[in-house]
Amino acid sequence: MKEDKKILQNNDWAIEANGLVKIYGKEAAVDGVDLAIQKGTVYGFLGPNGAGKTTTIRMLATLLPADAGSARIFGNDLVSDGAAIRKRISLTGQYASIDEDLTGIENLMLIARLMGYTRRQAKTRAMELLTAFGLDHAAKRQVKKYSGGMRRRIDIAASIVVTPDLLFLDEPTSGLDPRSRNQVWDIIRALVRTGTTVMLTTQYLEEADQLADRIGVIQRGKIIAEGTSSELKASVGRGTLNVQLVHAEDRQQAIDILEDYLGAAVHHGTDSTSLTAQADDSMRVGEALGEFARRRIEVSDFSLGRPSLDEVFLTLTGHSAEQQDSGEEIL
Amino acid sequence: MTVQQQTRETANATNGIEGSTDERLLQAIASGKRPDPASGWSSTMAFASRALLRIKHIPEQMFDVTLFPIIFLLMFTYLFGGAIAGSTSDYLQFLLPGILVMTVAQITVYTGIDLNNDIRKGIFDRFRTLPIWLPSALIGALLVDVVRYTMASVVMIALGLMLGFRPEGGAVGVFLAIALVLVFSFSLSWIWTALGLIVRSEKSLMMMSFLVMMPLTFISNVFVDPTTLPTWLQGFVNINPISTLATAVRGFMHGMGTWQQVVNVLLVSAIMTAIFAPLTMYLYRNKT
Ligand SMILES: Nc1ncnc2c1ncn2[C@@H]1O[C@H](COP(=O)(O)OP(=O)(O)OP(=O)(O)O)[C@@H](O)[C@H]1O
Ligand SMILES: [Mg+2]
C-alpha cells in the first residue's frame, strides 16, 4: 500500500506543493499553500483580487523564490531543479508576455528559435499556430495593434510553440468578451485533450466550473476550499428551487405552501410570478409541487438546481468573488 | 463532427475560430514537438534579431546614434573651438576623438533602459521561464548595441572629415581607435544593465547615468589638455577611465598609439565586465 502511494507520487502528480509562503513586507501574499495537481487535468485557481494567485503561479514557474515551503513539478524540486522544470513548463502571464512592438509572426518565430527550431522550421511553426489560432490575417501586424482577444491568443500561442507538459495560465480570459473567451476555452480544452496539464487562475466562477477538473479557492493567501466543482457545491449542501407561476393571484398561496413544505424563506423575483426558495430535500419539493396541483395553482416553469459556484463562493468567503477583499468579518 | 465528438465538447463551446477549429488546433498542438535545445550561440542570435526587429519597428531609436553625434560634434567644435584652441580646425583634431568617446559612452545607457522596460512587461517573465542559456538574452541585445555604437562612430567620423578632421593615423589608426571604443562601450553597458535591473523606472536610470557620466566625461581630457588644470583635478582626470580611453583613441587616430594605451583600455574594460556582467546575470535570474 505504501509502495502504491509512492508510485502515485512519482508518476501522477504534475504539481505537489507543501506550505508555500511568500511574504511582502509584513503581509503574507501567499500563506501556506498546499497543492496536488494530477497530470493531464485542469486545475482552477479561483480567488478575488489580491488573493495571491499570481504570486503562487510565479513561484511554481521558478520566477519567484518561496520564503517557506517546497514544491515539486513533475517530481523536480523547485529550488534545485529549476532548469529541468523550465524544460517542461510554460507560462502565460496575467499581462501580455510578448513583445508588443513586434508582429505576431516575429514573436512566435523568436520563441520558436529560442526553443531550438531552425529559422525555416520556426517560420513554419509560427504560421501553423497563427492559422490554428485564427490569427493568420494579423501575422504581420504589430501586437500592440491587436485587440484584447487576439493578444490573449497570441500570448497563449507563444506558450505552446513547443507543447508544454504543464501550462500556467494567469487569468487567461480577464477582460475578454464571451466570443473571445470561448475561443480561449476551446484552446485550453484542446490542450488538455493532447495531454497537457493546465493550471489556470480566474476570478470567474463559471470559468472554473466549465474547465477545471478540480478547483482551489484561495483567499488572502490561503486555500479555503478544494475539490471538484460538484464537491464544492455539495459542501454547501443546499439547492435552489425556482418556480414560475401562471397567475399572479396565486402568489401568496404558493408562498405559504413552499414555506410550509420546505421550511425556508421564499424570495420573489422582480416579476410577481417567480419564486425562489432554498431546498435541501428534493422529496419535499415534490410534495410541495403536488400540493400546488391539488390547489390548482398552475406552474409554467420550475427548476431544482444545485447551488451555483457563485453561491458556494459566497458561503465560503462571506462575500462574492467579484467584491474587493476587505474587512475582517470573514473566517 | 460526429455526435460523440459533439457531446465531448461542452454545450456552449462555440466554434469561434474559423474553419475546422478543433482539427487545426489539435494538430497544431500535437505538432509542437520539442527540438534539441537551442545552443547558446543560436539563442544569442535570436535575441540579437529581436533587437534588430525592434529597431525596424521603432526607428526613432536610431536618433541617439545619428543625431547625437552630429549635434555634439558641431556644438562643441564651434562653441569651444575658438575659445579653447584659437581655431576650430585645430581644435577639431584634438576634440573629435574625445567627443566620440563621450558620445558613445553616453548612449550606452540605452541598453539599461531597454532592459528596464522589458522587466516591467510580462516578456521578462517569459524569457526567464524558457529553457535557454539566460545570458544570451543580454548578450544578444548588447551585440546589436555594439552595431549601434559603430554607427555612431561612423557618423561622427564622416562628419568630422567633412569639417576638416585629418587623422594622421590613417584608416588603420581610425579603425583601431573605433575598435577600442566598442570594446570599452560593450563593457560599460554592463553597468547600465545591472542598474537597469535595480532601479524602479527608466527615469531614475537616466538620472543616475547623468550623475555618473557628466562628471566622468567633463572632468576628463575630452575637452581640454589636463596640464592646464589644478593638480588635485589632474589626479582625478588621470584615473578617470574615460580619459584612459580618450587618450588611446586620440593616440591611434593621430598615429601615436602605444601598446600601453591598448592594455590600459582592455584592462579597464575587463574590470567593468568582470564585475558587472556576473552581477547583471545574478540580478536577472533573481529579479522578483
Ligand atoms: N512585488 C510585490 N511587492 C509587494 N506586494 C506584492 C507584490 N506582488 C504582490 N503583492 C501583494 O501580494 C498580494 C497578492 O498578490 P497577487 O498578485 O498574487 O494577487 P492575485 O490573486 O494575482 O490578484 P489579481 O486577481 O488582482 O491578479 C496582494 O496583496 C499584492 O498587493
Ligand atoms: Mg494576479
Side-chain angles (χ1 to χ4, degrees):
Chain A
M1 199 59 224
K2 205 178 164 194
E3 236 178 284
D4 279 348
K5 194 162 181 199
K6 199 171 164 212
I7 290 167
L8 188 80
Q9 287 206 330
N10 285 339
N11 296 327
D12 281 357
W13 301 116
I15 302 177
E16 306 155 85
N18 285 305
L20 284 182
V21 172
K22 184 73 205 178
I23 294 167
Y24 286 119
K26 274 182 275 171
E27 300 272 310
V30 173
D31 194 4
V33 161
D34 299 324
L35 288 168
I37 301 177
Q38 270 198 335
K39 280 183 192 168
T41 63
V42 180
Y43 191 86
F45 210 35
L46 181 65
N49 284 137
K53 304 181 294 293
T54 300
T55 308
T56 308
I57 287 227
R58 296 188 79 238
M59 285 194 280
L60 293 172
T62 75
L63 288 171
L64 194 62
D67 291 324
S70 64
R72 299 169 83 75
I73 310 286
F74 297 113
N76 299 302
D77 184 77
L78 206 53
V79 179
S80 55
D81 300 332
I85 292 173
R86 283 189 285 275
K87 286 204 177 97
R88 305 188 64 179
I89 63 163
S90 202
L91 166 77
T92 306
Q94 186 167 357
Y95 308 103
S97 21
I98 34 183
D99 191 334
E100 304 209 327
D101 293 312
L102 266 51
T103 66
I105 190 163
E106 286 165 353
N107 265 294
L108 295 188
M109 282 182 67
L110 170 64
I111 303 294
R113 291 190 61 199
L114 291 174
M115 285 294 194
Y117 286 93
T118 63
R119 229 190 118 74
R120 185 186 296 156
Q121 288 169 334
K123 189 162 192 180
T124 313
R125 179 67 182 145
M127 263 335 282
E128 179 181 33
L129 280 170
L130 287 166
T131 310
F133 279 48
L135 291 169
D136 37 341
H137 65 285
K140 294 197 169 137
R141 199 187 306 165
Q142 279 177 291
V143 172
K144 67 178 170 203
K145 295 175 186 156
Y146 279 23
S147 74
M150 293 162 74
R151 240 174 241 241
R152 227 45 205 149
R153 274 181 280 149
I154 192 85
D155 213 347
I156 296 176
S159 299
I160 64 167
V161 166
V162 167
T163 311
D165 295 323
L166 169 61
L167 175 62
F168 294 104
L169 295 170
D170 198 356
E171 302 201 13
T173 64
S174 295
L176 300 191
D177 67 15
R179 181 186 133 99
S180 306
R181 191 193 56 187
N182 279 324
Q183 291 174 338
V184 170
W185 285 2
D186 283 345
I187 294 167
I188 295 172
R189 290 191 182 104
L191 273 164
V192 174
R193 266 163 69 181
T194 53
T196 298
T197 309
V198 176
M199 176 169 183
L200 65 90
T201 75
T202 178
Q203 299 181 37
Y204 306 123
L205 306 146
E206 193 202 347
E207 180 159 273
D209 211 0
Q210 282 283 334
L211 294 173
D213 297 297
R214 293 185 75 81
I215 297 168
V217 181
I218 182 169
Q219 195 190 27
R220 292 204 203 150
K222 288 198 167 77
I223 294 192
I224 55 173
E226 216 260 351
T228 63
S229 164
S230 359
E231 279 167 6
L232 287 181
K233 288 172 185 171
S235 73
V236 172
R238 283 173 304 196
T240 310
L241 173 68
N242 295 296
V243 179
Q244 189 79 38
L245 302 175
V246 176
H247 306 292
E249 57 270 26
D250 292 337
R251 182 157 152 245
Q252 194 49 52
Q253 209 182 355
I255 290 175
D256 290 342
I257 294 169
L258 288 177
E259 282 183 343
D260 199 20
Y261 278 82
L262 302 177
V266 177
H267 306 282
H268 28 86
T270 40
D271 57 338
S272 50
T273 53
S274 74
L275 299 173
T276 305
Q278 296 288 356
D280 294 315
D281 183 346
S282 60
M283 297 302 286
R284 311 287 299 174
V285 171
E287 287 166 17
L289 291 174
E291 189 64 25
F292 276 21
R294 274 192 292 282
R295 308 257 188 109
R296 305 236 165 267
I297 298 173
E298 281 183 81
V299 169
S300 65
D301 193 13
F302 74 89
S303 65
L304 178 60
R306 303 284 292 281
S308 69
L309 260 186
D310 227 332
E311 289 165 287
V312 174
F313 200 85
L314 193 68
T315 316
L316 286 170
T317 64
H319 63 166
S320 83
E322 284 73 19
Q323 229 170 298
Q324 200 66 30
D325 191 19
S326 65
E328 291 296 324
E329 80 281 15
I330 318 135
L331 298 175
Chain B
M1 207 185 232
T2 65
V3 177
Q4 216 181 6
Q5 264 178 322
Q6 204 143 31
T7 47
R8 229 189 293 162
E9 304 300 308
T10 14
N12 68 349
T14 57
N15 259 350
I17 306 165
E18 297 76 28
S20 53
T21 316
D22 279 2
E23 292 315 310
R24 274 215 204 120
L25 259 182
L26 286 172
Q27 211 198 322
I29 291 166
S31 61
K33 294 279 181 300
R34 186 173 294 277
D36 289 338
S39 66
W41 170 253
S42 39
S43 56
T44 302
M45 287 301 107
F47 280 112
S49 58
R50 170 186 177 226
L52 288 174
L53 287 170
R54 288 185 60 82
I55 293 178
K56 186 181 124 196
H57 290 295
I58 319 168
E60 310 89 272
Q61 278 186 62
M62 296 309 278
F63 281 174
D64 56 353
V65 297
T66 50
L67 289 184
F68 278 21
I70 293 173
I71 292 169
F72 279 1
L73 187 59
L74 290 177
M75 195 169 73
F76 287 109
T77 306
Y78 291 104
L79 201 64
F80 292 167
I84 297 180
S87 118
T88 49
S89 154
D90 287 348
Y91 189 49
L92 186 62
Q93 312 306 322
F94 175 81
L95 179 71
L96 189 135
I99 207 92
L100 172 66
V101 167
M102 178 185 118
T103 308
V104 177
Q106 284 191 347
I107 58 180
T108 52
V109 70
Y110 288 100
T111 311
I113 288 180
D114 284 347
L115 178 59
N116 188 268
N117 281 328
D118 267 4
I119 294 167
R120 278 178 287 113
K121 294 180 187 147
I123 191 149
F124 180 69
D125 278 357
R126 162 137 6 240
F127 291 153
R128 289 197 305 157
T129 52
L130 292 177
I132 52 172
W133 181 60
L134 210 52
S136 59
L138 291 160
I139 296 173
L142 274 177
L143 287 181
V144 173
D145 283 331
V146 169
V147 173
R148 284 164 22 92
Y149 306 153
T150 312
M151 204 160 152
S153 308
V154 169
V155 167
M156 180 164 289
I157 286 166
L159 178 66
L161 290 173
M162 282 189 267
L163 296 178
F165 177 60
R166 294 293 170 262
E168 287 147 45
V172 175
V174 170
F175 183 80
L176 285 174
I178 292 179
L180 288 178
V181 171
L182 297 183
V183 170
F184 181 90
S185 308
F186 178 85
S187 312
L188 179 60
S189 297
W190 289 109
I191 297 185
W192 307 126
T193 51
L195 288 174
L197 285 158
I198 295 169
V199 301
R200 211 160 296 173
S201 70
E202 65 171 89
K203 274 209 188 93
S204 28
L205 186 58
M206 264 310 213
M207 267 280 282
M208 292 174 85
S209 88
F210 271 122
L211 284 177
V212 175
M213 295 312 293
M214 274 300 181
L216 277 185
T217 47
F218 282 92
I219 311 173
S220 73
N221 61 7
V222 164
F223 295 102
V224 291
D225 184 345
T227 48
T228 61
L229 299 174
T231 351
W232 61 271
L233 208 52
Q234 276 188 36
F236 179 80
V237 169
N238 289 335
I239 56 159
N240 181 347
I242 295 286
S243 306
T244 310
L245 178 63
T247 306
V249 170
R250 200 172 277 143
F252 278 91
M253 283 193 172
H254 291 306
M256 297 173 302
T258 64
W259 280 113
Q260 187 56 49
Q261 290 169 352
V262 175
V263 169
N264 289 346
V265 171
L266 294 184
L267 197 66
V268 169
S269 304
I271 292 172
M272 288 192 294
T273 308
I275 297 172
F276 291 99
L279 179 64
T280 298
M281 282 328 301
Y282 174 82
L283 293 168
Y284 195 91
R285 169 57 79 203
N286 295 295
K287 180 87 189 170
T288 56

